Amino acid sequence: MAPVTDTSSLDGLRERLRRFVADRQWEPFHTPKNLAMALAGEAGELLAEFQWLTPEESAAVVTADPQAAARIRSELADVTAYLVHLAMALDVDLVANAHHKLDEVERRYPPGA
Amino acid sequence: MAPVTDTSSLDGLRERLRRFVADRQWEPFHTPKNLAMALAGEAGELLAEFQWLTPEESAAVVTADPQAAARIRSELADVTAYLVHLAMALDVDLVANAHHKLDEVERRYPPGA
Amino acid sequence: MAPVTDTSSLDGLRERLRRFVADRQWEPFHTPKNLAMALAGEAGELLAEFQWLTPEESAAVVTADPQAAARIRSELADVTAYLVHLAMALDVDLVANAHHKLDEVERRYPPGA
Amino acid sequence: MAPVTDTSSLDGLRERLRRFVADRQWEPFHTPKNLAMALAGEAGELLAEFQWLTPEESAAVVTADPQAAARIRSELADVTAYLVHLAMALDVDLVANAHHKLDEVERRYPPGA
């Protein structure tokens, strides 16, 4: 297994995730339907970290509660991974796709409106 | 407003999103609690696109149904944007954070196990 | 189509929902997997109603914003319907099942602890 | 603490849940915003039970996998409980509200259309 050499970009992460799935022969499970469920499930676990906090407490949690911060980072990583897996399954470039939508959103919500 | 010059990396997307929020003075709304809700809400809208499809149909949707494909790309963009906003609010580098979790996941699920 | 005569209990609602699906021959779509997605999708739409509100504003929304209140009631109805559909697909009595879990939760979190 | 005498109806469950919260003085946490998060979080945990199953496997899971069945019933109970808590916080009668929405849905989707 060749080492991942690019750990700073989304491209490098995508290649590592692609190889992770291939090495385990998990491709049959990675349908868009299943991956959308996994993504939403992980987003749901993130909610659980914040549900009883006030908005102010949620803003301070990373410094105030190291154990919660570690769980939150772990859930964020799971959401990131499934989002990248889903984009691969749908053959979507996440960054270009987000810019495309932002072109529209910026027109719909002009600053100062 | 200076143009976004880097449209290929997550860094460029993050800067555009940061400016988008600053230009509208929406920072007070961008607590981790609120952003986790927005992320999970958009992930829920993605589910709706796939819920009545078979796994096979979900794999073909991008080519078989251009209107659904456009909605799915739009929802993916929303999920991407809120994930980047949440990472900014929590001061987390999404790519480095995902690699850190993968180090652990790869140990926990060795290939061929 | 015989009228639903019991509109006050969960049993009556379940029978109406069962007939709704049968009349449209939608049973093949009502697998637990699909219904869990529909339930989570609707729960995600509920989030969207509350995501930018403070907790205090969320407590006042029903009286302060009649349009938001109507949307919230509509989303609550969708969550209720899919929860009942899912329980039917899994052959679970929702009320008995909730009491069974509460027996355990009450032991785990004794009052005053 | 008086025993719950009505364990067959949603009314009895609602009263038990109301008392559960009051006995622990958790009312301040039970804002609609927080409860919508808890509901969506539990719906997300349900997804995780079904995400790698085929639709056919999901239909058989209750009989084929007793451990998964127990987890699913536990998650269903959590979703039920938070839905009832949220309805209490919003002063909504869940059954009447679902029938009201069904009046509209039945008109929008006539059988045989």
Side-chain angles (χ1 to χ4, degrees):
Chain A
M1 200 171 89
V4 171
T5 48
D6 168 11
T7 55
S8 67
S9 79
L10 209 52
D11 287 352
L13 178 61
R14 189 177 58 233
E15 289 317 303
R16 185 174 180 183
L17 287 167
R18 189 196 305 280
R19 199 189 302 161
F20 178 82
V21 172
D23 286 348
R24 287 153 187 81
Q25 300 180 293
W26 285 351
E27 290 96 341
F29 296 102
H30 276 217
T31 65
K33 183 180 178 97
N34 291 1
L35 292 168
M37 294 178 79
L39 174 63
E42 297 297 342
E45 292 193 33
L46 256 178
L47 285 176
E49 293 298 329
F50 296 110
Q51 66 198 14
W52 306 127
L53 304 184
T54 64
E56 296 71 30
E57 287 168 342
S58 84
V61 69
V62 168
T63 47
D65 185 341
Q67 289 187 312
R71 290 194 308 268
I72 289 166
R73 279 193 292 265
S74 176
E75 300 297 347
L76 267 183
D78 293 337
V79 171
T80 307
Y82 283 121
L83 178 59
V84 172
H85 283 305
L86 179 55
M88 279 197 280
L90 295 167
D91 202 20
V92 168
D93 177 320
L94 281 175
V95 171
N97 182 60
H99 278 294
H100 181 73
K101 174 78 184 266
L102 269 168
D103 292 343
E104 175 201 324
V105 172
E106 287 179 349
R107 277 193 302 270
R108 208 191 314 156
Y109 301 100
Chain B
M1 199 170 92
V4 171
T5 48
D6 169 12
T7 56
S8 67
S9 79
L10 209 53
D11 286 354
L13 178 61
R14 189 176 59 233
E15 288 318 305
R16 184 173 179 184
L17 287 167
R18 188 196 306 279
R19 200 189 303 161
F20 178 81
V21 172
D23 286 348
R24 286 151 188 81
Q25 300 180 293
W26 285 351
E27 290 96 341
F29 296 101
H30 276 218
T31 64
K33 182 181 179 98
N34 290 2
L35 292 168
M37 295 178 79
L39 173 63
E42 298 296 342
E45 293 193 33
L46 256 178
L47 286 175
E49 294 297 328
F50 296 111
Q51 66 199 14
W52 306 127
L53 305 184
T54 64
E56 295 73 29
E57 288 168 342
S58 84
V61 71
V62 168
T63 49
D65 186 341
Q67 289 187 313
R71 291 195 306 269
I72 289 166
R73 279 194 291 265
S74 177
E75 300 299 346
L76 266 183
D78 292 337
V79 171
T80 307
Y82 283 121
L83 178 59
V84 172
H85 282 306
L86 179 55
M88 279 196 280
L90 294 167
D91 202 19
V92 167
D93 177 321
L94 281 175
V95 171
N97 182 60
H99 278 293
H100 181 72
K101 175 79 184 265
L102 270 168
D103 293 343
E104 175 201 324
V105 173
E106 289 180 348
R107 277 193 302 272
R108 210 193 311 156
Y109 301 100
Chain C
M1 200 170 90
V4 171
T5 48
D6 168 12
T7 56
S8 68
S9 79
L10 208 53
D11 287 352
L13 178 62
R14 190 176 59 232
E15 289 318 305
R16 184 173 180 184
L17 287 167
R18 189 196 305 277
R19 200 190 304 163
F20 178 81
V21 172
D23 287 348
R24 286 150 188 82
Q25 300 180 292
W26 285 351
E27 290 96 339
F29 296 101
H30 276 218
T31 64
K33 182 181 179 95
N34 291 1
L35 292 168
M37 294 177 79
L39 174 63
E42 298 296 343
E45 293 192 33
L46 256 178
L47 285 176
E49 293 298 328
F50 296 111
Q51 65 198 14
W52 306 127
L53 304 184
T54 64
E56 296 72 29
E57 287 168 342
S58 84
V61 71
V62 169
T63 47
D65 186 341
Q67 289 187 311
R71 290 195 308 269
I72 289 165
R73 280 193 292 265
S74 177
E75 300 298 346
L76 267 183
D78 292 338
V79 171
T80 307
Y82 283 121
L83 178 59
V84 172
H85 282 305
L86 179 55
M88 279 196 279
L90 295 167
D91 201 20
V92 168
D93 177 320
L94 281 175
V95 171
N97 182 59
H99 278 294
H100 181 73
K101 175 78 184 265
L102 269 169
D103 293 342
E104 175 201 325
V105 172
E106 288 180 348
R107 277 193 302 271
R108 209 191 315 154
Y109 300 101
Chain D
M1 199 170 88
V4 172
T5 48
D6 168 12
T7 56
S8 67
S9 79
L10 209 52
D11 286 352
L13 178 61
R14 190 176 59 233
E15 289 317 304
R16 184 172 179 185
L17 287 167
R18 189 196 304 279
R19 198 190 303 163
F20 178 81
V21 172
D23 287 348
R24 285 151 188 82
Q25 300 179 295
W26 285 350
E27 290 96 340
F29 296 102
H30 276 219
T31 64
K33 183 181 179 96
N34 291 1
L35 292 168
M37 294 179 79
L39 173 63
E42 298 297 342
E45 292 193 33
L46 255 178
L47 285 176
E49 294 298 328
F50 296 111
Q51 64 198 17
W52 306 127
L53 304 184
T54 64
E56 296 72 29
E57 287 168 343
S58 83
V61 69
V62 168
T63 47
D65 186 340
Q67 288 187 312
R71 291 195 306 269
I72 289 165
R73 279 193 291 264
S74 176
E75 300 297 348
L76 267 183
D78 292 337
V79 172
T80 307
Y82 283 121
L83 178 59
V84 172
H85 283 305
L86 179 55
M88 279 196 280
L90 294 167
D91 201 19
V92 167
D93 178 320
L94 282 175
V95 171
N97 182 59
H99 278 293
H100 181 73
K101 174 80 184 263
L102 270 168
D103 293 342
E104 175 201 325
V105 173
E106 288 180 348
R107 278 193 301 270
R108 209 191 315 156
Y109 301 100

